[in-house]
Amino acid sequence: MYVFHNGHLSALAISGAILGGCLSSSATASGFAVPELSTAGIATANALVANPVERGAVPYNPAAIAFHDQSWLSAGSLLIGPTFSVDNASGSHDSAGADWLVAPMIQAAIRINERWSAGLSVNAPFGLETRWKTETFPPLTGSIQLPPPPLGPGGSVPASPQPTQSNLEIIDFTPTVTYAISDELAVALGADIYWAKSATLNSSITQLEGDGIGLGFNLSALYAKGPFSAGINFHSSSTIKVDGSYSALNPTMVLIGALQPSQTAELDLDLPWRLQLGARYELTPALAVEFDWTRTGWSSFEEIQVKGDLNGATLFADVNDWDDANAYRLGMTYQLQEQTQLRFGYSFDETPQGDAHFSARVPDNDRHLFGIGVGHSLGDGWQLEAGYMYVMFLDRNYRSAKPYLGGSDINGTDAINGDYEANAHLIGLEVSKSFDAF
């Protein structure tokens, strides 16, 4: 039940549900991560951190550049088609998000001399897109009658803010430098320059839009001798300072003090650290198998706090309390012909999101990832690659015993009880061209 103070709704009570669970998960990996950084990565389910051969392995381990004889440039696109739905007390509902999302996949490798190399990757390692219609969750539907004059303004206001559109587009520019310690061992150091191109977190009564920049670093190493290779890659955590605008869509709720007025706002978005370990073995000259383990530090994603620029007011504060999560990845490459390579992959990714703070913004759960693809040499240094991945979420039959108390945060409450299903289709297309080195 909402609380009245001097005939007004409590602003604190309603603010907790404005953007509840605004960043919950993505379509392809745990949390809101998108680990598909190249077309070869899509096909091998991202098991590439120990691969010294493929150009598409460089975004997963920049130290691999030291094992390439030539400089090269690669450009492509990742297409993501997610589907989310929930069955609850009011029936079956589908998320009304975009049919297909597009992300860049650009890589460059420059051989400076026998020891030194430089690289650049441009990709989208984090992202989010979902939209729910306002009648999806029955406990959040309806209105509250306000006291008539002279005690109040009369009329009605929405009973609860409905989670509607959630969109997050983050581009990572990753310049790196690689040093070959020996013919068998190389190390790399680089920067992660995160650009939150778009952050849109809307409800039925508010809008929040903005963009921002964050900085991090990455370290990697790769050892390769004979048929065996092993790699490690680490990306630090980072905080993106998102600056934007907060808009109150219901003037009556501003008038009675239930919502803050429209104003500019700030959000600190914490991105997790990522650690990847991998080992690869060439069973035959044509067939190679790789196993990777990835640990993502989602425990750093503890709280979302939006502050307005009017008197430094806190417009929203939400505790996420996610856990660190693992992913287990198996990839295989098979050289069908001298010019043609087939690729296959499987991954199991754990969710960091427990029931205590479960969010309907995009319901997250453990998932299976299946990849397949091909790389084909066109001659004269040109290479064409294509990959497809199917992401199958485990069904999440969410039932909470925590009652929804009107204006409190909807995350982890019975307001969003339901049976959630999700899947996604990913397509990668990429073309690359090699050049003579130094």
Side-chain angles (χ1 to χ4, degrees), residues 25 82 84 95 97-98 101 127-131 165-168 362:
S25 66
F84 301 95
S95 170
L101 311 173
L128 171 69
E129 171 70 27
T130 189
R131 300 177 190 178
Q165 182 184 10
S166 305
N167 173 266
L168 183 65
V362 179

Side-chain angles (χ1 to χ4, degrees), residues 45-114:
N46 305 302
L48 283 175
V49 74
N51 191 315
V53 181
E54 306 309 322
R55 299 172 185 177
V58 169
Y60 297 87
N61 190 339
I65 299 176
F67 297 88
H68 295 195
D69 295 332
Q70 294 180 302
S71 301
W72 50 266
L73 175 65
S74 176
S77 292
L78 167 64
L79 289 82
I80 307 175
T83 301
F84 301 95
S85 65
V86 60
D87 287 329
N88 58 18
S90 63
S92 180
H93 306 271
D94 293 328
S95 170
D99 292 334
W100 287 95
L101 311 173
V102 181
M105 295 188 299
I106 301 172
Q107 292 91 38
I110 302 174
R111 289 271 294 180
I112 300 172
N113 55 42
E114 292 183 354

Side-chain angles (χ1 to χ4, degrees), residues 71-416:
S71 301
W72 50 266
L73 175 65
S74 176
S77 292
L78 167 64
L79 289 82
I80 307 175
T83 301
F84 301 95
S85 65
V86 60
D87 287 329
N88 58 18
S90 63
S92 180
H93 306 271
D94 293 328
S95 170
D99 292 334
W100 287 95
L101 311 173
V102 181
M105 295 188 299
I106 301 172
Q107 292 91 38
I110 302 174
R111 289 271 294 180
I112 300 172
N113 55 42
E114 292 183 354
R115 293 295 183 187
W116 291 95
S117 304
L120 174 67
S121 294
V122 181
N123 45 61
F126 299 98
L128 171 69
E129 171 70 27
T130 189
R131 300 177 190 178
W132 293 112
K133 295 180 180 179
T134 55
E135 66 272 14
T136 298
F137 303 101
L140 305 178
T141 303
S143 60
I144 293 178
Q145 297 298 316
L146 299 175
L151 298 178
S156 64
V157 295
S160 303
Q162 309 285 301
T164 54
Q165 182 184 10
S166 305
N167 173 266
L168 183 65
E169 299 176 58
I170 297 179
I171 307 298
D172 185 13
F173 298 86
T174 310
T176 55
V177 59
T178 298
Y179 179 71
I181 298 175
S182 68
D183 292 342
E184 301 168 349
L185 178 63
V187 294
L189 169 66
D192 285 297
I193 306 171
Y194 295 106
W195 172 36
K197 178 176 177 287
S198 173
T200 303
L201 308 170
N202 295 341
S203 76
S204 57
I205 58 175
T206 61
Q207 291 182 347
L208 180 66
E209 299 177 345
D211 55 26
I213 299 291
L215 298 176
F217 68 88
N218 61 83
L219 301 168
S220 58
L222 183 61
Y223 172 82
K225 184 176 182 179
F228 175 77
S229 59
I232 181 172
N233 179 242
F234 175 78
H235 290 263
S236 71
S237 59
S238 178
T239 298
I240 298 180
K241 301 290 186 181
V242 178
D243 295 316
S245 61
Y246 162 87
S247 301
L249 303 181
N250 191 303
T252 301
M253 298 184 76
V254 175
L255 177 65
I256 65 176
L259 287 180
Q260 294 284 339
S262 299
Q263 57 192 283
T264 58
E266 299 177 351
L267 165 65
D268 285 348
L269 174 59
D270 294 324
L271 301 181
W273 54 262
R274 293 166 284 159
L275 174 64
Q276 296 173 282
L277 300 174
R280 178 178 182 266
Y281 192 81
E282 295 179 356
L283 300 173
T284 71
L287 178 64
V289 177
E290 177 170 342
F291 176 77
D292 287 4
W293 169 75
T294 298
R295 180 79 167 175
T296 304
W298 285 115
S299 57
S300 63
F301 186 64
E302 296 179 351
E303 184 182 30
I304 298 171
Q305 188 174 72
V306 180
K307 289 191 175 183
D309 290 337
L310 293 179
N311 302 320
T314 297
L315 304 177
F316 168 71
D318 174 51
V319 176
N320 298 287
D321 196 25
W322 284 7
D323 299 320
D324 296 344
N326 298 312
Y328 308 92
R329 295 164 177 164
L330 181 66
M332 181 177 71
T333 58
Y334 179 71
Q335 203 68 34
L336 182 65
Q337 299 176 344
E338 182 179 353
Q339 300 87 2
T340 305
Q341 182 187 81
L342 302 181
R343 299 159 178 166
F344 308 91
Y346 166 76
S347 175
F348 178 75
D349 287 14
E350 299 174 343
T351 179
Q353 187 186 58
D355 284 349
H357 299 282
F358 178 76
S359 168
R361 285 280 176 172
V362 179
D364 194 31
N365 204 9
D366 297 342
R367 67 207 70 187
H368 301 280
L369 293 76
F370 306 90
I372 188 171
V374 61
H376 184 74
S377 174
L378 303 175
D380 196 27
W382 289 94
Q383 181 168 302
L384 181 64
E385 300 176 80
Y388 168 78
M389 175 182 285
Y390 176 69
V391 183
M392 182 180 69
F393 290 66
L394 299 181
D395 293 347
R396 186 152 187 172
N397 302 320
Y398 172 75
R399 300 292 185 276
S400 175
K402 179 181 177 181
Y404 172 61
L405 301 177
S408 64
D409 184 5
I410 66 173
N411 284 4
T413 70
D414 58 6
I416 53 176

